[in-house]
Amino acid sequence: MSDRLQTQQTLIIGAGIAGLTLANLLSQRNLPFTIAEKSEEIRAVGAGIILPPNAMRILDVLGFSQQIEQHGHEIHRFSIHSKQGKTLNQIQVNHAGQGSAVAIPRSCLHQLLADAIEPSQLHLGHGLESLHPVEKSCEFENGLNCHYDVLVGADGIRSRVREQIFGQEPLRDARQFCFRGLVTLPDAEGLSHQFYELWGIGLRFGFVRVNAAQFYWYATLSELPAQMVSDRPIEMLRKVFSDWWWPVKSLLDAQQEDALIETPLFDRKPKQQWHNDNGVVLLGDAIHPTTPNLGQGAAMAIESAYSLAEAIAENPVSPDFSSYVHARRNRTAMINQQSWMIGQLANVRHPMLCRLREMAMSLATDRIATAQYRKMINWMPDSLAAGSSKP
């Protein structure tokens, strides 16, 4: 075996949603690339994912929208409820006029993106060991090395690439624990085409159908009770949410213990510098991780992949990353901060403040909520906007 990967113009570190989306966009433009992924197999981290219209717009350019709609479940409405199920506020997705939103198992989206890549361009078991920016080369944990013109760090919130070029930087603790699952829930026809999120005292529970058979659900807790640290966390969740609206109990009862996903929530504060002067640039959670409170994390990565692909296409050997940063930095910072604020609002544990929060949600009309949502999803790259305006 050679001790060197075949030299390519663009080397992508990480085969998550960000890296795979970028790879597909480069492939569409006939630009050479290689993906190096630390894991020995392609696997998604998480249970389900929501693709809002701004993400679907880019995925449609890549030709994935029909497959996603076939494997997923279209969302017509986002709604916020009290813990007993009383509707406090809702957003009509179709009234926003920007296209459809789709919920889908995360593994399904991941596989669709990976299957479109030539196997020879995807190298598994290649964890990054070190970068040598001046020489434009890197070494992997398996002993192989590679030269590149452009290296894209798409290796997640704990990015090794980011650490190599910017040093260690602290994560921001959201003070929330998140549990996720994917379950089959029979006799739930009335819960289709709608994303539900219920708010309680320091607690949230969200769920959405992701296909004909399955629901994706998540729960966030602002404090992890001592009894949650046990061998049976699903049993503790069932106790914590025992007096909530009936679908919550049904979803938790259907969840298998060994498939339960538990993660503390972190993000990073927005950063000004996204690349160095030697062809290394960051993408997705490696540069703009966000808490999941707006359902926009994957969408931001997909949007950023499009802008980065455009920058690389302009000059594949020595791109000017300033156009990429200019297109993405302010928008991702806005989403990051809005999502953070919602998460901190959910952390409120004082009963009176929680009642005031519910009143405020109820007073905001559906029209206002839909208008705010429209502003959030109304993003389109200049090249796509120019194309859509043609007669």
Side-chain angles (χ1 to χ4, degrees):
M1 178 183 290
S2 171
D3 63 353
R4 176 176 294 178
L5 289 182
Q6 182 179 354
T7 301
Q8 297 284 344
Q9 286 178 339
T10 298
L11 173 62
I12 302 169
I13 304 295
I17 289 174
L20 290 173
T21 301
L22 176 63
N24 277 281
L25 288 161
L26 294 178
S27 178
Q28 189 179 62
R29 292 162 170 77
N30 295 315
L31 295 173
F33 65 88
T34 290
I35 306 178
E37 165 58 39
K38 181 175 183 177
S39 300
E40 296 290 343
E41 60 181 358
I42 291 292
R43 62 176 184 269
V45 178
I49 191 168
I50 296 167
L51 297 170
N54 47 314
M56 289 296 294
R57 197 173 295 131
I58 306 301
L59 293 168
D60 183 56
V61 170
L62 286 169
F64 289 117
S65 59
Q66 186 173 355
Q67 290 173 285
I68 290 170
E69 289 166 359
Q70 288 174 348
H71 290 89
H73 189 75
E74 188 171 346
I75 304 172
H76 299 163
R77 184 181 299 108
F78 294 92
S79 56
I80 298 177
H81 306 258
S82 69
K83 61 185 255 184
Q84 286 82 24
K86 176 186 175 183
T87 302
L88 303 175
N89 199 277
Q90 59 183 352
I91 295 167
Q92 303 288 346
V93 178
N94 51 331
H95 291 176
Q98 299 293 329
S100 62
V102 179
I104 189 171
R106 196 178 188 96
S107 59
C108 185
L109 173 64
H110 215 118
Q111 201 62 54
L112 287 173
L113 293 171
D115 286 348
I117 304 299
E118 289 291 333
S120 61
Q121 295 174 297
L122 177 58
H123 297 265
L124 303 177
H126 282 65
L128 182 68
E129 177 65 31
S130 60
L131 282 179
H132 306 285
V134 176
E135 295 85 2
K136 288 195 169 184
S137 68
C138 66
E139 295 175 352
F140 297 100
E141 294 171 351
N142 59 13
L144 300 183
N145 61 73
C146 181
H147 284 81
Y148 56 84
D149 292 315
V150 175
L151 186 144
V152 179
D155 48 343
I157 189 170
R158 301 181 188 275
S159 169
R160 177 70 171 159
V161 176
R162 178 172 177 148
E163 181 181 333
Q164 290 271 308
I165 62 173
F166 294 135
Q168 291 189 349
E169 298 173 316
L171 297 174
R172 182 167 57 168
D173 187 354
R175 296 184 296 112
Q176 290 180 318
F177 294 85
C178 187
F179 296 83
R180 299 180 177 94
L182 196 64
V183 302
T184 298
L185 188 63
D187 303 323
E189 287 301 318
L191 300 176
S192 298
H193 302 296
Q194 185 164 341
F195 169 86
Y196 300 84
E197 187 169 87
L198 288 70
W199 287 52
I201 297 177
L203 302 169
R204 279 183 301 164
F205 194 100
F207 62 94
V208 64
R209 183 184 290 276
V210 293
N211 53 39
Q214 294 177 299
F215 279 81
Y216 162 54
W217 69 267
Y218 63 87
T220 66
L221 296 82
S222 62
E223 291 184 3
L224 191 62
Q227 67 266 31
M228 292 293 289
V229 185
S230 70
D231 295 332
R232 300 296 307 278
I234 189 63
E235 292 298 334
M236 296 303 103
L237 283 172
R238 290 166 184 162
K239 291 178 181 178
V240 169
F241 291 97
S242 62
D243 60 342
W244 286 47
W245 192 30
W246 72 264
V248 175
K249 182 179 185 301
S250 297
L251 289 162
L252 292 176
D253 285 346
Q255 180 63 47
Q256 296 295 313
E257 183 85 51
D258 58 0
L260 182 66
I261 300 168
E262 175 188 349
T263 52
L265 296 182
F266 297 93
D267 72 356
R268 293 186 190 270
K269 292 183 178 180
K271 185 176 178 65
Q272 290 296 305
Q273 190 175 0
W274 287 32
H275 60 90
N276 69 7
D277 296 327
N278 300 100
V280 180
V281 64
L282 301 176
L283 174 66
D285 281 352
I287 185 60
H288 52 69
T290 181
T291 50
N293 303 302
L294 288 175
Q296 282 284 331
M300 291 301 100
I302 291 167
E303 287 182 4
S304 291
Y306 188 94
S307 295
L308 181 54
E310 287 192 317
I312 294 173
E314 286 291 323
N315 185 344
V317 175
S318 183
D320 178 4
F321 294 127
S322 61
S323 61
Y324 162 59
V325 176
H326 177 75
R328 302 302 304 154
R329 187 167 57 198
N330 288 346
R331 174 164 169 78
T332 55
M334 176 194 71
I335 295 296
N336 172 285
Q337 291 300 90
Q338 288 183 0
S339 183
W340 177 265
M341 290 172 61
I342 290 174
Q344 299 314 297
L345 187 62
N347 280 346
V348 171
R349 299 185 61 82
H350 193 286
M352 179 60 73
L353 292 177
C354 289
R355 285 196 290 271
L356 290 173
R357 184 184 64 193
E358 285 194 10
M359 288 176 59
M361 289 179 179
S362 298
L363 289 173
T365 66
D366 295 352
R367 180 178 295 182
I368 292 174
T370 300
Q372 291 174 335
Y373 178 72
R374 184 186 297 116
K375 288 176 62 177
M376 183 173 63
I377 64 173
N378 188 24
W379 182 88
M380 186 179 295
D382 291 340
S383 58
L384 285 185
S388 65
S389 65
K390 293 178 182 179

